[in-house]
Amino acid sequence: MRVAGAPISWGVCEVPGWGHQMEPGRVLGEMRDLGLAATELGPAGFLPAAARARSALLASYGLGLVGAFVPVVLHDPDYDPMPEIDRAMDAVEGVLVLAAATGLDGYDTRPVLDTEAWSALLANLDAITARAAARGRPVTLHPHVGTVVERRDEVERVLDGCSVPLCLDTGHLLVGGTDPVWLAHFAAPRITHVHLKDVDAGLAQQVLDGEVTYTHAVRDGLYRPLGNGDIDIPGIIRTLEGAGYEGWYVMEQDTVLAGEPAAGEGPYDDVRRSLGFLSGMSR
């Protein structure tokens, strides 16, 4: 009951030109048929903006809402992100999954931060953490390829320099050069949300080395059904559960679609295989 889905596993993404975008009815219906308990929000416009209408739609498919992925610029000393954060907390229930956005479209290029920008980023993360706590809302930072917190040294700088909880995304961490197994051990008390991905480590290394863009790697099959890649998913889950983790495990395997998949194929089959892998772990 703690396993949720995400629209990006069905190719639904906020990035312009990402690929074919499936309709909500089919995506939510397939989540329901696969036995998922809830979903993350997805990009603006995918689900109704009004909370009552959104809740009614999700309930009609037997789904709850886990939270929302919220990319926001946090490193610009001249920009106050708090009004944007407040609007997100007003609009969506559940976990606020922050990404330290670059301000650019897509995830294929990013700036290098100077000392002033890092100070602004860490101060904003602490301020957002305090604001969310005051409102009784969970918040977490998602280290993410193509944002300003991507690489291992950046993840460590966040852990050392502020108090924000982390989203452990097994795929984005590996692509950014952080071993997710190590992070699960090292920072278990800071992890309050999990995105489960399996990864082709060879393609991940090509992205890390700058040989291919992130978007092209996703198109080429960077993310695999759980158990078909190179990440120790069972080890990560055992570590987190042993440390008392009580949050969600979100099946989130980014994909780019060229067109509408046939019934039972594409994302549906990938998520089905991943859920079968998780089920097999408990036997």
Side-chain angles (χ1 to χ4, degrees):
M1 294 302 294
R2 291 164 56 207
V3 180
I8 187 62
S9 294
W10 277 260
V12 180
C13 184
E14 74 280 359
V15 177
W18 180 260
H20 174 74
Q21 303 293 289
M22 296 177 67
E23 291 298 320
R26 179 169 178 189
V27 174
L28 298 177
E30 292 191 351
M31 288 185 182
R32 172 200 61 208
D33 294 346
L34 287 162
L36 294 168
T39 182
E40 286 192 2
L41 181 68
F46 179 69
L47 293 178
R52 182 174 295 180
R54 183 172 62 238
S55 295
L57 175 63
L58 290 174
S60 72
Y61 289 94
L63 297 168
L65 185 65
V66 171
F69 177 70
V70 181
V72 58
V73 174
L74 300 171
H75 64 278
D76 184 348
D78 297 322
Y79 177 71
D80 178 10
M82 207 60 75
E84 193 173 347
I85 295 297
D86 282 337
R87 286 193 295 273
M89 287 195 284
D90 289 342
V92 184
E93 60 273 26
V95 182
L96 201 68
V97 184
L98 297 176
T102 62
L104 307 171
D105 284 337
Y107 298 113
D108 293 335
T109 59
R110 68 191 196 111
V112 176
L113 302 192
D114 59 18
T115 301
E116 184 181 21
W118 264 105
S119 295
L121 171 66
L122 296 173
N124 279 324
L125 287 171
D126 268 340
I128 292 167
T129 303
R131 178 73 65 93
R135 294 185 57 165
R137 291 293 304 276
V139 65
T140 185
L141 176 69
H142 183 344
H144 192 293
V145 174
T147 70
V148 299
V149 182
E150 171 189 311
R151 304 296 177 104
R152 175 165 171 164
D153 63 312
E154 295 158 354
V155 174
E156 291 179 338
R157 194 163 182 175
V158 166
L159 287 170
D160 290 341
C162 71
S163 59
V164 70
L166 286 188
C167 169
L168 189 147
D169 184 300
T170 56
H172 278 281
L173 286 165
L174 185 69
V175 177
T178 301
D179 178 0
V181 176
W182 167 80
L183 191 64
H185 281 282
F186 176 75
R190 291 281 290 270
I191 295 166
T192 57
H193 198 60
V194 175
H195 287 169
L196 287 179
K197 295 177 171 73
D198 214 339
V199 173
D200 180 318
L203 273 173
Q205 190 63 47
Q206 290 180 43
V207 177
L208 187 60
D209 293 341
E211 296 174 6
V212 298
T213 66
Y214 176 72
T215 304
H216 278 95
V218 174
R219 287 197 184 110
D220 290 343
L222 174 65
Y223 297 118
R224 309 289 194 183
L226 299 186
N228 285 18
D230 298 301
I231 293 179
D232 181 10
I233 299 295
I236 290 169
I237 292 175
R238 284 195 299 268
T239 296
L240 294 174
E241 292 295 298
Y245 177 72
E246 297 180 343
W248 286 92
Y249 292 97
V250 181
M251 299 293 308
E252 202 210 42
Q253 297 153 305
D254 303 18
T255 191
V256 176
L257 299 177
E260 191 75 6
E265 297 182 7
Y268 180 93
D269 187 54
D270 287 342
V271 176
R272 179 189 61 78
R273 292 162 66 191
S274 293
L275 291 170
F277 179 80
L278 291 179
S279 178
M281 284 175 50
S282 63
R283 295 193 189 115

